[in-house]
């Protein structure tokens, strides 16, 4: 499963709604060499919770009032409504405009139910998957959603978006195979994830994109656009100011409003986003009541900045909610770019971790509210610990000579600081590692002993709000002679530089599901190292890692997948590709008292904004 999580000051936020579930184990019981056997849902672990014909998801309020305007804030800017491209800054909330073939439930780890598609079918060898569209699915202009639309959406996503091209690398084609049926063919069998991730495709209207705008100009899906796009989803773009604000309004004629997967959802009459370039100004807007909901990403701010009158008198409520993290593994880290030669030595990368004093930062900036991340699947049952045993050990033994020997002898641990003595010892260890890698201190500067070139790091950040957490790290690096500096750039520049891997080091967070799969190749696989727009930010290209990724993808049982994931985790950690940072065990939210949510939120999510509502809606 891929879970998009945005980096933040001290506790990164889970984007709401959480999108792009994948990497899940399918039960290949949907057989049919000749006649397809249609299912209303797929479950990756066990059986779907909800039977065919179910009334609604358990976590919704079917009587929630409709209406009111939800006001939200975003940091940065936007310059495009084209959801396909990996270019430009996509407007927040655009998913409100579009439907997908299937829809995930938030009270199951990995089940999806029909949205645009009423049925799904695939053979035992999972060599293909077919979706059957609902006859009454409609675009906002009243035209039916067709198989041609699905084929068009897939083809354009793969053609125009490098990330999607990697994600769907083993899907060779999409074909219309009946009036309302689309079949995707695969170039390998038994990849259990592919049918599930294809159900998440954002379906676009072919006839609209191949038509003309109000001025008669032909549309071009290969370019960014600020023309309000049309979809089949519950909302439409009502108004906007480029880079500043955007307003979505609920469609009275939404074709799917009475579907069981939508009952009790899409309750706001309108959803407005306002963009801010300064995080402090954004917070002040929330304090003033011009923003309704805030997910607080700073532990220190949560502890000290919420004593203003609106909180004291109950106009603003606060909650700490564990639900979204119950099935999410986290790796938040500083990521050195190994495409730069200076980071290719594992001793250098390990030394960079010794320079990071988490305990000092946690105490002074976060009121001891955070925990250090020590796994790429931190917080879940998939995180490795101790020494490998059983099947996990067997997998690693099959890779001896290709992986660091320490995976068999030394459990991974992060350096521990927190007081001057420990900090000095860690910096001495860092300097020793640099010296072993061919560097020396010369006049207080760390330089290459052969060339005399100084060791420098530019840490590229997307927001000034991150600087507070990075400055102590910069100060530690300077103590061992490294010329470290922060460069914070605007959203567009940051996006372009990251997409083209133009950085020394960035701050990133990867969110993992309990069922990792094909997305792992996009995170750590050799195939994605030089693919512009991939999430292989570290530049990893390692045959052993590639082999472990394939074991994860093609695992036939839950036990085999767990062993393979833990083995992959150990090898990634032992290569010190990143400097692990920190996280929290709960999402902190503050919101206007006019907002309400079901008493029991979905077990694995916030349900925001889908199942929330305006309590004073007319």
């Amino acid at each position: 499963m891929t879970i998009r999580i945005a980096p933040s000051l001290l506790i990164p936020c889970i984007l709401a709604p959480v999108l792009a579930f994948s990497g899940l184990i399918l039960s290949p019981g949907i057989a049919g060499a000749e006649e397809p056997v249609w299912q209303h849902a797929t479950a990756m672990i066990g059986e779907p919770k909800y039977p065919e014909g179910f009334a609604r998801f358990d976590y919704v309020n079917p009587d929630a009032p409709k209406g009111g305007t939800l006001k939200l804030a975003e940091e940065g800017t936007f310059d495009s409504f084209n959801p396909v491209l990996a270019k430009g800054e996509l407007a927040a909330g655009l998913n409100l405009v579009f439907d997908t073939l299937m829809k995930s439930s938030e009270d199951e780890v990995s089940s999806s139910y029909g949205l645009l598609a009423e049925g799904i079918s695939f053979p035992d060898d999972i060599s293909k998957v077919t979706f059957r569209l609902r006859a009454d699915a409609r675009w906002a202009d009243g035209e039916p959603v067709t198989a041609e639309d699905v084929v068009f959406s897939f083809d354009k996503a793969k053609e125009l978006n490098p990330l999607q091209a990697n994600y769907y690398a083993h899907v060779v084609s999409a074909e219309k195979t009946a009036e309302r049926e689309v079949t995707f063919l695969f170039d390998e069998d038994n990849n259990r994830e592919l049918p599930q991730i294809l159900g998440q495709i954002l379906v676009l209207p072919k006839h609209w994109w191949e038509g003309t705008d109000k001025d008669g100009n032909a549309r071009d899906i290969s370019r960014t656009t600020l023309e309000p796009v049309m979809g089949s989803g519950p909302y439409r773009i009502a108004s906007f100011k480029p880079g500043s604000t955007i307003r979505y309004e609920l469609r009275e004629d939404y074709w799917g409003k009475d579907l069981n997967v939508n009952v009790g959802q899409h309750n706001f009459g309108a959803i407005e986003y306002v963009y801010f370039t300064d995080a402090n100004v954004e917070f002040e807007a929330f304090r003033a009541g011009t923003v309704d909901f805030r997910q607080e990403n700073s532990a220190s701010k949560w502890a000290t900045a919420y004593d203003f009158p609106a909180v004291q008198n109950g106009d603003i409520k606060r909650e700490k909610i564990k639900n979204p993290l119950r099935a999410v593994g986290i790796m938040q880290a500083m990521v050195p770019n190994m495409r730069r030669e200076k980071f290719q030595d594992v001793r250098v990368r390990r030394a960079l971790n010794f320079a990071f004093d988490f305990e000092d930062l946690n105490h002074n900036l976060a009121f001891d509210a955070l925990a250090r991340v020590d796994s790429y699947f931190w917080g879940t049952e998939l995180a490795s610990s101790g020494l490998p045993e059983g099947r996990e050990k067997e997998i690693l033994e099959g890779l001896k000579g290709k992986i660091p020997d320490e995976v068999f002898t030394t459990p991974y641990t992060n350096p521990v600081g927190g007081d001057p003595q420990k900090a000095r010892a860690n910096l001495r260890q860092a300097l020793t590692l640099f010296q072993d890698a061919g560097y020396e201190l010369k006049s207080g500067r760390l330089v290459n002993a052969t060339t005399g070139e100084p060791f420098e790091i530019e840490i590229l950040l997307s927001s000034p709000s991150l600087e507070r957490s990075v400055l102590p790290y910069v100060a530690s690096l300077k103590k061992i002679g490294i010329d470290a500096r922060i460069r914070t750039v605007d959203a567009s520049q940051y996006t372009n530089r990251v997409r083209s891997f133009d950085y020394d080091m960035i701050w990133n967070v990867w969110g993992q599901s309990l069922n990792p799969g094909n997305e792992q190749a996009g995170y750590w696989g050799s195939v994605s190292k030089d693919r512009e727009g991939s999430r292989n930010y570290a530049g990893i290209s390692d045959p052993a890692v590639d082999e472990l990724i394939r074991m994860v993808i093609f695992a036939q049982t839950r036990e085999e997948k767990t062993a393979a994931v833990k083995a992959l985790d150990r090898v990634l950690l032992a290569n010190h590709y990143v400097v692990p940072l920190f996280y929290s065990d709960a999402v902190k939210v503050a919101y206007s008292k006019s907002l309400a949510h079901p008493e029991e939120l979905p077990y694995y999510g916030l349900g925001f904004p889908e199942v929330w509502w305006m309590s004073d809606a007319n």
Side-chain angles (χ1 to χ4, degrees), residues 451-486:
T451 67
E453 181 182 1
F455 195 95
E456 301 175 341
I457 302 177
E458 180 187 83
I459 302 175
L460 184 68
L461 299 178
S462 61
S463 170
S465 63
L466 298 173
E467 294 176 3
R468 183 166 171 266
S469 297
V470 179
L471 283 170
Y473 185 48
V474 168
S476 292
L477 291 170
K478 289 182 181 294
K479 290 178 181 177
I480 55 174
I482 294 176
D483 180 14
R485 56 196 180 276
I486 294 172

Side-chain angles (χ1 to χ4, degrees), residues 121-161:
S121 175
F122 55 89
D124 289 334
D125 63 359
I126 319 178
S127 57
K128 62 181 179 179
V129 64
T130 300
F131 295 91
R132 185 173 64 194
L133 299 175
R134 296 184 189 273
D136 54 352
R138 291 290 185 275
W139 299 108
D141 64 0
E143 291 294 312
V145 178
T146 67
E148 288 86 354
D149 293 321
V150 180
V151 173
F152 172 81
S153 302
F154 171 78
D155 288 344
K156 292 303 179 182
K158 198 168 180 180
E159 172 191 346
L160 300 173
N161 189 313

